Amino acid sequence: MSTPRRLASAHDREILRLAVPAFGALVAEPLFLLSDSAIVGHLGTAPLGGLGVAGQALTTLVYLCVFLAYGTTAGVARQVGAGDIRAAVRQGIDGMWLALAIGLALIVIGLPLVPGVVDAFGASADVAPYAETYLRVSLFGIPGMLIVLAGTGVLRGLQDTRTPLVVSIGGFSVNLLLNVLFVIVLEWGIAGSAWGTVIAQTASAAVYVAVVLRAARRHGAPVRPDMAGLRTSATAGIGLIVRTAALRIVLIVGTSIAARMGDEEIAAYQVGFQVWTLLVFALDAIAIAGQAITGRYLGASDLAGTRAVTRRMVWWGVVCGVAFGLGILAVRPWLPGLFTSDDGVRHLLLASLLVVAALQPVAGVVFVLDGILIGAGDGAYLAVTTLIATVVFLPAAIVLYRTDAGLIGLWAAIGLWMLTRLLTLGLRARGDRWMVTGAVR
């Protein structure tokens, strides 16, 4: 019989094999807009502001459509665990067809709404034309972007996180080269930056299509769209859409409250939140491993294995959270100087980083459990409990703002939000109702 130490070691190798490449892919994805910003910034302040507004709109869209990756990962992994690779690939293809359908619909619906969307984000008269140009062109890259999400989910479900890493790096490289060509050499302005990103996204989607089609041929899976499969993929994503929208509300409200506090507060909040976001990428990599591994174990009807690997991933979440918290405390005295010379901002950031550091162990467990339950297909529970956590956060944030608790009060509200998620996710994970076995939940 295997000893607990050997089982833990085996689980560790499995988790790291999936999590490390996933982390690389997660870090590579934001580089699309970052490289755009570096190049567009040379055009002037208004074009850069336009990119910022359009980027926020596109980021919101990505958040809402991330179910194409998460839901596909869980469904495909279950079929893999059940030993039916043909059905796994077939389910993944259904997810990619759904992504294409949603992407085309968003182009048709989105084009006439571009001015209204830009106005809703509060763009000034100088910034708005650039934001509209970038957003209008970028809509043509939406189908490719969504296919990339679904294709990533297929490969993660097939226990492959290395290919998405390679595609992400390749896509970033193509995007950077095309932006230099279109914006600097050909002088197409902000539209050139948008077209570079569209082409890079579409090329990345083509790579995923080729990889999945090759898998379909190898395992004899049909590639035609299946209406029943499309309905299953769409239905499975509803809970994840609600969950993601609730998360997005917290992010938007947090930024809005910080902005209303003053210029120093919003500056310090943005830097603190960027530190938080960077660490989220690392924790999310473990969550992605959790999605793939949990789905596979449940598909194989291995409840003991599911429980064992869940404990191990939670352990990894705690260890990483503690390490990240200590890391923040170690660099805290010098970190503000990298971003600002304003004494007021530095003081606020130093205080904020204490809260950010304290929350890392909580975040480690929350993100891991979130990934595990996504892998189990427990979207309805995630939707309800994320809404509950958001409902807890909103009045707390507003009350603390009105009582002049300042930026620390806002971070305290975020801490309350995270603790609420920890409680609800932890209670679910301790029970057995989420561990539904079989090829289909």
Side-chain angles (χ1 to χ4, degrees):
M1 293 179 64
S2 298
T3 65
R5 184 181 296 275
R6 287 178 180 174
L7 283 174
S9 177
H11 290 321
D12 287 346
R13 286 195 299 271
E14 187 175 27
I15 292 166
L16 291 173
R17 178 179 64 82
L18 295 172
V20 172
F23 172 70
L26 288 168
V27 171
E29 288 172 5
L31 293 178
F32 271 98
L33 277 176
L34 185 61
S35 62
D36 287 359
S37 298
I39 294 171
V40 171
H42 291 86
L43 299 176
T45 301
L48 185 59
L51 176 63
V53 171
Q56 283 296 321
L58 293 170
T59 300
T60 300
L61 186 60
V62 172
Y63 263 82
L64 293 177
C65 292
V66 76
F67 76 92
L68 290 166
Y70 291 172
T72 304
T73 298
V76 171
R78 275 184 175 271
Q79 297 288 358
V80 170
D84 194 344
I85 304 299
R86 181 179 184 275
V89 176
R90 168 73 263 187
Q91 185 157 350
I93 289 172
D94 289 334
M96 295 178 77
W97 277 114
L98 178 64
L100 177 61
I102 293 174
L104 294 176
L106 287 174
I107 292 176
V108 175
I109 296 171
L111 282 173
L113 297 178
V114 165
V117 170
V118 171
D119 184 63
F121 277 89
S124 68
D126 291 334
V127 167
Y130 295 102
E132 290 180 16
T133 297
Y134 191 93
L135 189 55
R136 191 173 285 111
V137 173
S138 294
L139 281 174
F140 291 97
I142 293 298
M145 180 188 73
L146 300 190
I147 290 172
V148 166
L149 286 176
T152 301
V154 176
L155 297 184
R156 288 174 180 169
L158 293 172
Q159 315 298 294
D160 175 10
T161 57
R162 291 185 179 181
T163 302
L165 171 60
V166 173
V167 176
S168 293
I169 294 173
F172 164 70
S173 301
V174 171
N175 181 62
L176 179 60
L177 291 173
L178 290 178
N179 268 263
V180 171
L181 174 63
F182 293 160
V183 177
I184 297 178
V185 178
L186 299 181
E187 298 183 350
W188 289 2
I190 196 170
S193 177
W195 279 118
T197 302
V198 168
I199 294 171
Q201 288 171 335
T202 305
S204 297
V207 173
Y208 277 109
V209 170
V211 171
V212 174
L213 286 178
R214 186 172 59 189
R217 287 194 298 270
R218 184 185 310 125
H219 299 288
V223 298
R224 296 185 304 275
D226 177 70
M227 291 307 299
L230 291 174
R231 284 194 296 270
T232 299
S233 297
T235 303
I238 293 174
L240 294 179
I241 292 174
V242 174
R243 162 201 168 273
T244 305
L247 294 176
R248 189 65 181 170
I249 288 172
V250 172
L251 302 182
I252 293 172
V253 171
T255 301
S256 177
I257 289 176
R260 284 169 169 77
M261 292 179 184
D263 292 345
E264 291 183 344
E265 284 80 0
I266 185 59
Y269 179 76
Q270 284 301 323
V271 175
F273 196 78
Q274 288 306 311
V275 173
W276 174 278
T277 301
L278 176 63
L279 300 178
V280 164
F281 285 140
L283 297 173
D284 216 24
I286 305 174
I288 287 170
Q291 293 172 26
I293 296 172
T294 301
R296 195 183 81 240
Y297 272 88
L298 290 176
S301 298
D302 185 352
L303 292 178
T306 302
R307 183 64 73 184
V309 78
T310 295
R311 292 194 188 100
R312 199 61 186 172
M313 283 186 284
V314 169
W315 180 87
W316 271 101
V318 172
V319 169
C320 289
V322 171
F324 292 163
L326 293 175
I328 292 172
L329 293 178
V331 301
R332 173 176 167 269
W334 301 279
L335 192 61
L338 298 177
F339 297 94
T340 181
S341 58
D342 187 296
D343 288 338
V345 176
R346 287 165 60 91
H347 175 74
L348 289 170
L349 185 54
L350 283 170
S352 299
L353 289 174
L354 289 175
V355 185
V356 173
L359 289 177
Q360 289 310 301
V362 176
V365 178
V366 167
F367 286 117
V368 168
L369 290 179
D370 190 59
I372 289 169
L373 295 182
I374 289 174
D378 205 14
Y381 182 84
L382 289 171
V384 172
T385 54
T386 307
L387 282 172
I388 291 172
T390 302
V391 169
V392 170
F393 165 78
L394 292 174
I398 293 171
V399 168
L400 289 168
Y401 167 64
R402 290 183 174 176
T403 55
D404 294 325
L407 203 55
I408 296 302
L410 176 57
W411 277 109
I414 293 174
L416 180 60
W417 172 61
M418 291 297 295
L419 288 171
T420 304
R421 296 195 70 207
L422 176 65
L423 175 63
T424 55
L425 294 175
L427 289 173
R428 186 65 162 182
R430 286 176 61 86
D432 298 326
R433 294 183 64 183
W434 61 278
M435 292 196 296
V436 180
T437 59
V440 180
R441 180 180 172 88

